Amino acid sequence: MSVFCLRSNALPRARAGAKLRAYVIVLTLTLLAGLNWTARAELPFPLADSGYLLRTWGTEHGLPENSATAIVQTRDGYLWFGTFNGLVRFNGDQFTVFNPANTPQLPSAGIVNLHADQRDRLWVSTYAGLVLKDGTQWRTLGTNEGWPGNPVRSFTERKNGDLLMTTFDGQVLTVEHDRPTELPPPPGEPGQGYLGTVDESGQWWLAQNRFVGFWNGQQWIPVRIPSPPVGRSAVACATARDGGVWIYIAKQLLKFRGGSETSRFSLPGLKGGIWSMVEDSRTNLWICSYDSGLFQVTPGGELRHWTTTTGLGTSATRVVFEDRERNLWIGTSGDGLRQLTRQRFFKVGSGSSGFRARSVSPARDGSMWIAYYDAGLFRQDEAGIAQVLVPGPTNAGTYGLSVLEDRAGRLWYGDLDCCWWRRGQDRFEKVPLQPSAGAHVSALFEDSKGQIWIGTRAGAVVYDGTGFQPLEPETGLPRGEIAGFGEHQTGVLWVAGSAGVFRREQDQFIAVRGADGQPLLGVLCLKADVDGSMWMGTRAAGLIRWRNGKLDRIGAEHGLPDCEVRGLIEDEQGYFWMASNRGIVRASRKQLHAVADGAVPKLEVQLLDQHDGLPGPECFTAQPNCARDASGKLWFATQKGVAVIDPVAFRLNSPPPPVHVEQLNYHVRTTTFNAKEGPSAGVLKGGEVRLNAPFSLPLRLPPGANGLELEFAALSFTAPEKARFQYQFDGNSSDWKDAGNDRLIRFHLLPPGDYVFRVRAANNDGVWNEAGTSLAFSVLPFFWQTRWFRFGTGLLLVGLGGALVWSWSRQRIARAMERERLVHETQELRDELTHSSRVSTMGQLASGLAHELGQPLGAILRNAEAAELLMEQAPPDLEEIRAILTDIRQDDQRATGVIDRMRSLLKRRPVERIPLAVPDLVQEVAALVRPNALQHKVQITIEVPRDLPTVCGDRIQLQQVLLNLLLNGMDAMNQQPSGTRRLIVQARKTKSQMVEVSVQDSGPGIPAQSLDRVFEPFFTTKAHGMGMGLPVSKAIIEAHEGEMWAENRPTGGAVFWFTVPVAKGDRDA
Amino acid sequence: MSGPVVYIIDDDASYLRAVSRLLRAAGMQVVIHTSAVEFLADLKPAATGCVLTDLQMPDMDGMALQAALHQAGSLLPIIFLTGQGDIPTSVQAMRRGAEDFLTKHAPKDVLIAAVSRALSRNEQAIAEQERRRALRARFELLTDREMEVLQHVLSGELNKQIADKLDIHERTVKLHRTSITTKLKVHSVAELARLVQAAGLFPHLWQAGTSSGQPAPPDFPKGQ
């Protein structure tokens, strides 16, 4: 799981005089000490009933040692851990280790305690001395700089920045002007350390088993302890968030305010030696015991004890720290680091109730019905979960598919074989379904009139309160699988199934069609909106909004994390929750409308998954697979159990993550590299240079630097895997390029010039740090020629040779500058060429598109003429005229759709790389060429599996390539007999994380002598061709890091192949 | 449904609905189909009216439909509708006897006029067919041998030539001819030729040398 990643950090300066030595040291240190690991901890799991998800980090993830003695977060967002084998900085992904080997100012690798002060300095207490890290400066405070000689046990800072330190042997110091001064010793047990804390008025407090008291400016004033300990007692103290201090002594938790005790808890269950105590922002008090586990005193006063056996996995706790995102970090002695994240989803039920939940439905009495595929029908209420037996010829209850309690109190339960129903507590009875094989009741729905709609694999049945009525094909609803029902705001029933989406008007089902007139296939769920829209979740096309006959789609390009939407539900706060393949997606209804209207380009969504406590990322396609109970909580049936979330309690992880560029690597030709270029530069073998943040500015890269790598981090710790990055490179454009969750970017070719690299990031909830960070650097042009010039002066050929070299170097410089200019121009030209080639390709579509447009326009004309005639009649048939007007509007939208589709491809638009679904790409292009195919009598077969991983690319450019290949294929078959013209589009995933797409025709094939020339510019076999289609396609594919090639099939016809890389999120581990 | 019907065929449901509305509003009876196959499946032999079909359709296009109707001996005239004027196709369609060839955007009056013309043409064709059927009924009285002799007579052959070809006696040929004229109630060969032509029999006999659809009567030798 862990990826071993070798690199150096905070390397010593390589001074020119000690260049060689520095290289050796750097190399050695890098190999020996400065190890930096990529940390990929296993997914979090819920600590039963605690409300937290637990995650464990250890040496296998890059910690130098399995302990964390102290934890702090510096203002720049990094987390710092003290271990017995070095100081560790954590960015959510990698642990960077500082130890005496790579940081000589550290006197010892054994870290006892840490403190980040208000001036953003880091105090490091080691076994052998105190170190103050201020920015990039490390300062060691030895005994002659005021270090007491004994390791510092506790740091306490008050609001004005004064610091109180206590040592293990009983000394107490304050720090003024960074120099520790000793305070008079308190009257406690000599030689025993104190723990310090501070109250809201800035008064220092100390606690020890023989003394608890505060400093009044002159002396230590003891406070009275109700039942003081006899002999040694575990002691701890902490600042109370609502004022005062907490003191734990002799199994009592006391709160002092202004010198007197204000409240007291007895904690007899708490045992063992205490290392530290802290109160978190939710006012939980956490007490870390050396050997008896972790104790949590909840705001309600309840004591929770977490040990090895209660799920924490350790009992040797040392420290608890709450980061800015309110994650809790627990340092242990020898058991690694624990992270506690608040759970958002809670799982319902137990192992005995089954795992593969299909459907949930709230009951009128406040309980919840659950249908499990692997266990049958269950009921969850306050008392727990219990099975409800469904009688049947066999154990029919086993394969539960859907469940519904209607408003009349009837219970409906569908399984693989039949559908059951009962009134109240009556016996279950069978619903008469169509006698086709396998009922497979996939959808149950109650409409506003109280009718129950039952959808099965073969069709639908409706119960109107008196009897069951099968919906035969005469009603307009074809036979086939039903995915779900919905009811429009106006009371019109909608149904989605394998034959498309239908709307019921006057007992007849009318197909809802797309702008191209095709039925809407692949719709999995329906959700009516109060504004009269109908939302449709689809298998691969994301979310579709129907509004007044117009369809708008929201897909991956709008930021929808998954284009498969299997369930849709709205909470009372105006948010939609979508059950998808990758988790539950949350988005505001208002924003979904704005995106569908085209007013907002991108959605702000949250993808909630295992990191939020969701038991499984997938919900099955079933209705209802999600439900809202009377209290507003949302229930989801996932393939690993039922999860419930309270949307009211949902809080965004709102702090934007700090973004840092951490490292810059590049290659140089070793002969031209001068180590003076960067103070923290290190050259590794092969001319590789690694520079670490903080970079010394201005950052100048030597001539010929190439293979640039930039590593960056977003400091969000709730679910670092879900961080997302975007970057810009030239600083000229305002377009951000998506880097997914990659924390590294490579640029192979780097012409001389000035660059600004900007990066920004979002955390797990999609909250962006819009500003991000930037790094300016320049790549110097070649000037090593001047050294040649210097050598030249030493030679006799000063005059001629020098002049030659001089003029040559001028040319080189001029060329370098020219190249810099050309890079931009070439890019512009390439975009221009790509665009004009696309326009020319679209030209070939023109006749087909004219036909596509002609249909609706012709229909509009006929309708208008008919209306004119009808108006002349007395009385005019207004019903018919109304129908005409509806049709005219629909045809107008249809025509607009054709134009929009055309325009989206013709539009000049910056290139973007986003995850794309190959089946959608192919289908959209196929829809474009369909009229041409019809004209040329070409049969197009698409064999693209639905479950292909998404690819990373530019939608329009990839469609351009496909379009080109399809049109070429059609042209190639012009001379074939009309019944034999076939185009086959296939796609499959290859082993090398690519998707391979092929377009195969049944034409005569490519003449053998032309086969290797087809990708050459201006090479064409067509009378009207420009010869640019294929070269541009190949250039597009190569820019996508894919390949393109052509072959002749042995059975005749040509095949064109291209490959595109699988999107990062979809790659195999 | 009685009376002539305009059968409209178009794979585009919306245009289909619109054009049917227009023709209904213009007082015509209309039956719609979204594919030619479907239309052919539903077509009754006795159907009267005309066909208004889209030229470009998946599965079976307008030209294929024309061929199928022709083969089935249907009298329904065909008007083609096309999204864009495609000259080679229209020429081909007209040559095969299409009634008209219109674009989908043709003005209402042109469309309605074309349909009306097609309907009246169908009416005429049916009347014509009816008449021929009545005429042919008369020919059913003739024996096979008499039909054979009739063909030779119409080819302008002399009795002895006919006798030679059929290997019968010349007198027998004369007997057959008398029998033919008696049964068909004609008085001269010219009259006989007109009757045969009106009944649409032996069309191969008047194909040669005719360019208009109307076959010219054969050049009969004067006298016997």
Side-chain angles (χ1 to χ4, degrees), chain A residues 88-103:
Chain A
V88 181
R89 193 185 69 183
F90 186 45
N91 66 7
D93 185 50
Q94 288 174 320
F95 292 97
T96 308
V97 182
F98 299 85
N99 56 24
N102 62 13
T103 311

Side-chain angles (χ1 to χ4, degrees), chain A residues 991-1006:
Chain A
K991 284 182 188 129
S992 49
Q993 304 288 355
M994 303 291 266
V995 170
E996 184 184 87
V997 183
S998 67
V999 177
Q1000 171 181 323
D1001 64 49
S1002 60
I1006 306 164

